[in-house]
Amino acid sequence: MIEAKGVVKRFGPRTILRGVDISVATGETLVIIGGSGCGKSTFLKCVVGLLRPEEGAVTVDGQDIARCGNEAEVADYRRRFGYLFQEGALFDSMTIWENVTFGLRYLTDIPPARYRRLAREKLAMVGLKDIEDFRPAELSGGMKKRVALARAIAAEPSYILYDEPTTGLDPIMSDVINDLILDLQKQLKVTSIVVTHDMKSAYKIASRIAMLHEGRVLGQGSSDDFKASADPRIHQFVNGLSQGPIKMKLKDYEPDAAEGA
Amino acid sequence: MTALLDVAGSWFLELAETLGRGAMLVRSTAFWLFRARIEWRQTLIQMVRIGVDSFPVTAATSLFTGMVLALETGSSFRSLFNEPLFTGTIVSFAIVKELGPVMTALVVAGRAGASVAAEIGTMQVTEQIDALYTLGTDPVRYLVIPRVLAFILVLPFLVVISDFSGILGGYLVARVKYQIPPSVFWHDIIDTMRVRHFMHGYIKAYVFAVAVSLICCYKGVTARGGAEGVGKSTTQAVVLSMVAIFVLDYLATAVLVALGIT
Ligand SMILES: Nc1ncnc2c1ncn2[C@@H]1O[C@H](COP(=O)(O)OP(=O)(O)OP(=O)(O)O)[C@@H](O)[C@H]1O
Ligand SMILES: [Mg+2]
């Protein structure tokens, strides 16, 4: 169970998150949608503890990372998570299979002799094969993304945070990844938060959707709630319309944010 | 006036923040050093890299330094006493106590230190450092400690090499230019050089190793803002390391003198 209460995150004078309240029940997949730059990645990083919120708290199974006494506790907190970075963040000094199995040494008791085979299996799950000995620089964008996904799930964490898992993938591969996320949820009871712009994927994998807007949660609900939402902003966003209230609000929002400086 | 105060104030804040974050890095280095298994594989990789990177430059630098020293003392003493006296003594003392460690540390800072700062900096701006966290390890444990250890293990070794090659350089010039017989040159050294003289320079190597490696790792993990940021922090790492080497050289010498290791 992940619970975020009143999370406020600032970068210098700019307030990105202005009090986000989100809770994700165990075994649930929460999809977060929202405009580019509204702070979705920032929120995920607050959850995993890479960023510390200025106000509010995130607790995972009742444990608050801000209260962890020493670095070993912080490390214990973090190791429950698998995290797919938006840009992949593959280690470019290592081969693909070393990347995929990197965390196993710290997170599991699996003997190193089995790593290569395991890497093969995980890569197969994301639709990749025969690239174990490549380096990240030799892969296409979509392949890197999938290697990063394989790495995030390799240690079978109980929480997975996906930052745009299907961005940069072709439609068929996107659906393969959707199925993978659903499988992980159903079979391993993984609790996950998925950030995405891909509404088709959102509808397919979400137990619940939350929309982030202006640093707050604008609305939450099931896929059907969102499809039929009466809120004009949600309606505009999920249908991808250029005309609507959000564009106007964005204009208001920019000087507003500058005023806070 | 207020503008000046503003500048001074923000400069001071920045300094305080840097010191604070530096202290944090030292603290968590100490924490992971005693807490977790050391990544020996990484340490070994780094040792080989630093050694291979810096060995040729170190050897060449001190070879020529030794040659210059012999030339200078030889010519000065010849004009003073009509004879190039004590060339071996002067070259070996200058190299072993002072120039060997300092030159080696400078070369290593420019060669290996820069590459450490650039590598870690790149990892920082591409979120690879964050990825380390989410994969159950810690950049201090995985990146910083192996590099600090590698510097500590390799730099003194390079200093010994540079001691030898500096003295060899001095010997070559003494022999070829001043026709000083080998027995005289070596006796000048053996009769006066004691273990504590060697230790004086050798201990400094450890001080430099810790300082350079920590500074370069620190500049790496605090890099911000893409390729430009990495370039900037790499330059800063090298400059700061060099300044630190000279300042610490004085301090270490003062302490060693006070302890009688001279
Ligand atoms: N380290 C940082 N320092 C300063 N500002 C930051 C930092 N990280 C993010 N921001 C700012 O926070 C805001 C939100 O960034 P974030 O990456 O969370 O957006 P996002 O919702 O994930 O957008 P996208 O959908 O484009 O990925 C942006 O305006 C960005 O400029
Ligand atoms: Mg993002």
Side-chain angles (χ1 to χ4, degrees):
Chain A
M1 167 110 177
I2 302 173
E3 218 167 2
K5 282 215 185 84
V7 172
V8 172
K9 179 70 206 168
R10 299 190 189 92
F11 288 111
R14 294 191 305 153
T15 308
I16 305 299
L17 302 177
R18 306 171 168 230
V20 175
D21 300 294
I22 281 179
S23 78
V24 191
T26 305
E28 195 184 28
T29 301
L30 175 79
V31 170
I32 298 182
I33 57 174
S36 190
C38 74
K40 303 180 297 297
S41 303
T42 305
F43 178 71
L44 285 191
K45 286 181 186 162
C46 288
V47 171
V48 77
L50 291 170
L51 293 173
R52 297 294 171 91
E54 264 78 36
E55 288 165 39
V58 181
T59 52
V60 174
D61 297 337
Q63 195 186 0
D64 179 357
I65 192 169
R67 298 242 166 81
C68 288
N70 59 38
E71 303 190 29
E73 274 179 47
V74 173
D76 279 341
Y77 175 98
R78 287 195 183 114
R79 67 183 56 202
R80 282 180 266 170
F81 287 93
Y83 193 108
L84 170 63
F85 286 85
Q86 190 169 357
E87 312 287 342
L90 297 177
F91 302 120
D92 41 31
S93 61
M94 295 175 204
T95 61
I96 296 306
W97 76 268
E98 286 170 330
N99 260 285
V100 172
T101 55
F102 183 88
L104 300 181
R105 214 148 60 83
Y106 305 99
L107 302 168
T108 67
D109 299 324
I110 300 169
R114 290 188 35 212
Y115 285 1
R116 239 195 112 96
R117 257 202 54 208
L118 232 141
R120 240 187 126 73
E121 283 169 31
K122 300 291 174 190
L123 288 168
M125 286 171 79
V126 295
L128 292 169
K129 65 172 200 192
D130 296 334
I131 56 157
E132 287 92 335
D133 290 312
F134 285 29
R135 302 234 164 211
E138 296 167 288
L139 302 185
S140 77
M143 288 162 96
K144 279 185 207 158
K145 190 95 204 204
R146 284 181 282 156
V147 172
L149 179 57
R151 183 178 72 177
I153 63 176
E156 302 186 349
S158 38
Y159 294 95
I160 307 182
L161 309 179
Y162 305 89
D163 201 341
E164 307 197 4
T166 57
T167 305
L169 304 184
D170 63 68
I172 299 172
M173 194 44 78
S174 295
D175 208 47
V176 170
I177 299 302
N178 289 340
D179 288 338
L180 174 66
I181 294 174
L182 279 172
D183 273 358
L184 289 172
Q185 184 210 0
K186 295 221 172 81
Q187 284 161 18
L188 301 174
K189 304 273 174 277
V190 169
T191 310
S192 38
I193 303 181
V194 184
V195 165
T196 188
H197 291 298
D198 176 352
M199 289 314 299
K200 194 165 160 249
S201 148
Y203 291 143
K204 180 160 179 182
I205 59 183
S207 319
R208 213 146 46 82
I209 304 181
M211 179 162 163
L212 221 56
H213 183 61
E214 296 184 349
R216 291 202 178 80
V217 177
L218 184 63
Q220 317 195 17
S222 66
S223 298
D224 293 332
D225 292 345
F226 263 67
K227 281 180 197 159
S229 177
D231 188 315
R233 290 168 296 185
I234 294 178
H235 177 81
Q236 183 195 352
F237 190 88
V238 300
N239 293 302
L241 307 173
S242 70
Q243 301 299 317
I246 288 182
K247 195 174 176 195
M248 280 159 50
K249 282 300 278 186
L250 264 180
K251 275 183 190 147
D252 294 344
Y253 179 56
E254 291 295 342
D256 186 0
E259 256 167 39
Chain B
M1 186 61 202
T2 45
L4 197 70
L5 275 179
D6 268 4
V7 171
S10 73
W11 186 82
F12 184 76
L13 281 181
E14 207 168 290
L15 181 74
E17 195 191 316
T18 305
L19 287 178
R21 286 166 72 173
M24 293 273 283
L25 179 70
V26 173
R27 206 195 68 167
S28 62
T29 304
F31 178 88
W32 285 110
L33 199 53
F34 296 112
R35 187 64 173 241
R37 273 173 301 136
I38 289 170
E39 305 262 352
W40 286 115
R41 210 176 87 91
Q42 287 300 312
T43 309
L44 202 71
I45 292 172
Q46 293 303 322
M47 283 174 67
V48 170
R49 241 180 67 182
I50 298 168
V52 171
D53 267 7
S54 311
F55 173 79
V57 199
T58 311
T61 315
S62 50
L63 184 79
F64 281 97
T65 310
M67 288 166 67
V68 170
L69 279 173
L71 200 59
E72 298 274 17
T73 44
S75 70
S76 307
F77 278 39
R78 190 145 70 178
S79 64
L80 278 175
F81 308 115
N82 269 330
E83 210 181 330
L85 292 168
F86 304 123
T87 312
T89 316
I90 289 177
V91 169
S92 63
F93 270 66
I95 291 280
V96 166
K97 288 179 72 177
E98 173 66 24
L99 292 171
V102 171
M103 303 284 274
T104 307
L106 289 175
V107 167
V108 169
R111 198 78 174 74
S115 92
V116 163
E119 185 187 14
I120 298 185
T122 306
M123 291 184 74
Q124 173 65 265
V125 300
T126 54
E127 294 184 319
Q128 292 176 52
I129 302 267
D130 288 346
L132 284 177
Y133 278 125
T134 65
L135 292 167
T137 184
D138 184 288
V140 171
R141 178 178 164 196
Y142 188 78
L143 298 172
V144 177
I145 288 181
R147 281 165 179 74
V148 172
L149 280 179
F151 270 77
I152 290 177
L153 294 170
V154 172
L155 194 66
F157 171 73
L158 288 172
V159 166
V160 173
I161 303 244
S162 116
D163 286 352
F164 278 110
S165 87
I167 292 173
L168 178 72
Y171 171 72
L172 290 177
V173 169
R175 183 92 192 86
V176 173
K177 180 114 176 54
Y178 298 111
Q179 283 84 42
I180 299 172
S183 63
V184 173
F185 185 89
W186 295 119
H187 263 113
D188 275 356
I189 298 177
I190 292 163
D191 290 348
T192 47
M193 181 71 61
R194 294 288 167 269
V195 172
R196 66 190 151 87
H197 298 131
F198 167 75
M199 289 312 286
H200 182 89
Y202 189 71
I203 291 170
K204 284 183 190 173
Y206 287 93
V207 177
F208 297 153
V210 173
V212 170
S213 57
L214 280 176
I215 287 171
C216 293
C217 289
Y218 174 80
K219 279 293 166 193
V221 292
T222 53
R224 291 287 177 276
E228 194 197 347
V230 174
K232 228 166 140 180
S233 57
T234 304
T235 317
Q236 285 173 358
V238 174
V239 172
L240 215 68
S241 297
M242 291 186 169
V243 174
I245 288 168
F246 288 113
V247 174
L248 288 172
D249 185 33
Y250 183 80
L251 295 178
T253 307
V255 171
L256 289 168
V257 167
L259 294 175
I261 310 174
T262 56

